[in-house]
Amino acid sequence: MVIISLAIYFFGKTQVNTGNLINRVSTRIFDYNTIDVKCNNKSLRSSILIFYGNNCIYKNGTVNKGIKSKYGWNCFDVYFQGRKKYKICHFKKNNWHVNKYLFEFNLLQDSLNVIFKIRGPDSKEKLYYKYFKESDKSYDTYFLDKKKNIYKIESKQFHLDKKSERKITKQIKVLENHKMDTIHKQCNIKILLTLEDHLENPSDKELNNFFETFDESCKTNIEYSEFSNELLFKVLQKYPNRAIKILKNNKNIKLKYILKELQNPVHDGFNISNIIKKIEMNKDTISIKIVKTLKEIH
């Protein structure tokens, strides 16, 4: 029986995604789906759990089996430091397709970002994310489409009763069509996440949107401030000429506030000398202001 089972397993593995009888039968018996998890920080490996249904398929840096080949929505729950942060669901159009699932986790300060990819026959099917954010006053669920555009937010407000016990009311606010192209760009973390995902080759629109997020009103938003500050130095390091061109031509950008941000780097890991060297080659007014600001902190 063991030999027969092994024979079916290994022969069936050679037939995945062919759609023949052996493929369809073997995928009902064996789990051929795989996952690959990458983290930009070694400490993340012990802080992340990934569940498929009730099966923990990733724990302490170890990948486990447990992803069934089933028709319909297939969902993964991502936990970070014991709290659920993401639910990622994709649609599988039959019960015999086999995929490889890729998770890339990046930790920026205390914020966890995930890039999810599918390699296999369902890579172009429907996909959506749920991002969970908890504060002292509310528990917010952000619904994101395949491109990580927010299309709905549900917010459950926390209140304290007379006995000082926190209770969750049923007040739910649904914000429809909250797209990246909406008028409100100031302090928009979604724009930062989009730029971070495409930082190796960002479009002019993504860079313009990024610079338009800076505003005095963002000072009280710690999560946005730290994230945007780090991205600002990365953009100037990678794309100094494109950044200067956008700062000169886009009248919606608050240059004075950006200069203030440059005076207070979120950490000392930036190569300020290299940024100065690249920008001071330009002799325009904006370049001179940026170089002067950076030399004051260098």
Side-chain angles (χ1 to χ4, degrees):
M1 289 296 294
V2 174
I3 294 174
I4 293 173
S5 296
L6 288 173
I8 294 174
Y9 174 82
F10 287 109
F11 186 60
K13 198 171 183 178
T14 66
Q15 303 295 308
V16 294
N17 297 324
T18 58
N20 60 31
L21 181 60
I22 295 174
N23 175 204
R24 299 189 184 207
V25 171
S26 61
T27 52
R28 305 309 297 161
I29 302 172
F30 301 106
D31 171 20
Y32 295 117
N33 295 287
T34 59
I35 68 167
D36 185 19
V37 180
K38 296 181 180 179
C39 302
N40 73 333
N41 187 322
K42 290 184 178 179
S43 63
L44 273 178
R45 296 175 184 174
S46 59
S47 302
I48 291 175
L49 298 172
I50 303 176
F51 282 83
Y52 175 85
N54 294 322
N55 296 321
C56 184
I57 59 173
Y58 181 81
K59 181 179 180 181
N60 292 329
T62 302
V63 173
N64 301 307
K65 291 286 187 178
I67 306 175
K68 294 181 180 179
S69 293
K70 68 173 186 177
Y71 168 80
W73 288 105
N74 287 249
C75 297
F76 301 91
D77 293 313
V78 176
Y79 288 78
F80 175 59
Q81 295 179 341
R83 294 179 180 271
K84 185 187 287 190
K85 287 296 182 181
Y86 289 94
K87 178 180 280 290
I88 307 172
C89 299
H90 84 95
F91 193 83
K92 186 176 284 189
K93 56 187 178 182
N94 58 53
N95 61 5
W96 48 268
H97 273 173
V98 173
N99 298 290
K100 181 175 184 178
Y101 300 99
L102 308 176
F103 296 83
E104 294 182 19
F105 294 103
N106 297 284
L107 184 61
L108 186 62
Q109 301 303 324
D110 294 324
S111 180
L112 181 71
N113 182 41
V114 60
I115 299 173
F116 177 73
K117 298 177 182 178
I118 300 174
R119 289 180 183 170
D122 298 304
S123 61
K124 295 183 180 180
E125 296 301 316
K126 296 177 182 178
L127 168 70
Y128 72 86
Y129 299 76
K130 286 184 182 180
Y131 171 67
F132 306 99
K133 183 178 179 182
E134 184 175 353
S135 68
D136 291 336
K137 295 182 179 180
S138 67
Y139 184 83
D140 301 325
T141 303
Y142 294 78
F143 293 77
L144 293 80
D145 62 19
K146 196 171 186 177
K147 295 182 179 179
K148 285 192 176 179
N149 291 316
I150 300 172
Y151 63 88
K152 184 170 69 174
I153 303 174
E154 291 184 356
S155 180
K156 294 184 179 179
Q157 302 297 319
F158 292 129
H159 294 277
L160 293 176
D161 63 12
K162 293 180 180 180
K163 297 181 180 179
S164 298
E165 295 177 350
R166 194 166 69 174
K167 292 183 178 180
I168 302 174
T169 70
K170 294 183 179 180
Q171 301 173 8
I172 298 176
K173 298 178 181 179
V174 179
L175 307 178
E176 299 290 349
N177 300 319
H178 185 75
K179 301 290 185 178
M180 195 178 73
D181 291 327
T182 56
I183 298 173
H184 185 70
K185 291 183 180 178
Q186 289 83 4
C187 319
N188 192 326
I189 293 179
K190 176 61 185 71
I191 293 176
L192 305 188
L193 290 171
T194 299
L195 177 62
E196 184 186 46
D197 286 349
H198 303 103
L199 198 57
E200 292 305 314
N201 187 27
S203 66
D204 287 340
K205 181 179 179 181
E206 288 166 344
L207 290 174
N208 269 286
N209 286 336
F210 167 64
F211 284 114
E212 287 184 29
T213 64
F214 289 89
D215 187 80
E216 286 284 343
S217 63
C218 305
K219 289 192 293 187
T220 58
N221 188 332
I222 303 301
E223 184 179 5
Y224 165 83
S225 297
E226 293 177 344
F227 194 175
S228 61
N229 185 283
E230 182 165 11
L231 275 179
L232 176 60
F233 281 91
K234 287 182 178 180
V235 168
L236 290 177
Q237 172 75 40
K238 285 177 165 289
Y239 311 104
N241 293 330
R242 291 178 67 185
I244 297 300
K245 183 179 178 181
I246 289 170
L247 292 172
K248 286 195 298 185
N249 296 330
N250 191 333
K251 303 300 181 183
N252 295 322
I253 294 173
K254 309 287 176 45
L255 180 62
K256 289 184 179 180
Y257 186 71
I258 289 176
L259 292 174
K260 287 183 181 180
E261 282 295 297
L262 291 174
Q263 291 175 337
N264 300 285
V266 70
H267 59 72
D268 58 1
F270 306 116
N271 192 336
I272 305 296
S273 298
N274 186 262
I275 296 174
I276 292 173
K277 185 177 179 181
K278 290 180 178 180
I279 295 179
E280 67 183 355
M281 296 175 64
N282 301 296
K283 304 302 179 182
D284 57 273
T285 304
I286 291 178
S287 296
I288 292 171
K289 289 181 179 179
I290 292 176
V291 169
K292 181 180 177 181
T293 301
L294 292 176
K295 284 184 176 180
E296 289 175 354
I297 64 169
H298 185 51

